């Protein structure tokens, strides 16, 4: 999942070297934290959150075979 989010984020931003993706896992939830440069935040979120929503949808679809819930946090 980390590689997928990283690939998507790096293709959207102007400063791909500042993209940092981390994953933490608990019993029922996988949390993926995406951090980008302040200048690129709008590009990752999109108008009315449309791009962020799309990223979350793709990640949830990719993780649908697993038993755990997947969350993507953008900060």
């Amino acid at each position: 999942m980390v590689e997928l989010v990283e690939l998507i984020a790096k293709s959207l931003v102007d400063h791909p070297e500042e993209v940092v993706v981390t994953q933490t896992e608990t019993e029922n939830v996988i949390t993926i934290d995406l951090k980008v440069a302040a200048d690129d935040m709008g590009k990752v979120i999109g108008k009315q959150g449309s791009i962020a929503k799309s990223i979350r949808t793709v990640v949830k679809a990719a993780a649908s075979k697993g038993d755990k819930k997947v969350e993507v946090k953008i900060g």
Side-chain angles (χ1 to χ4, degrees), residues 8 12 14-15 19-20 22 28 31 35-36 45 47 50-52 63 65 67 69 72-74:
I8 294 170
L12 293 171
D14 289 333
H15 306 286
V19 172
V20 178
T22 57
N28 300 324
T31 304
K35 297 197 185 314
V36 296
I45 294 174
K47 290 186 180 181
S50 61
I51 295 175
K65 294 181 182 177
D67 297 338
K69 179 180 173 186
V72 177
K73 294 184 179 180
I74 301 171

Side-chain angles (χ1 to χ4, degrees), residues 1 3 7-8 12 14 19 30 37 40-41 48 51 63-64:
M1 290 302 145
E3 295 86 11
L7 177 69
I8 294 170
L12 293 171
D14 289 333
V19 172
I30 297 172
D40 293 328
M41 189 61 72
Q48 297 179 351
I51 295 175
S64 65

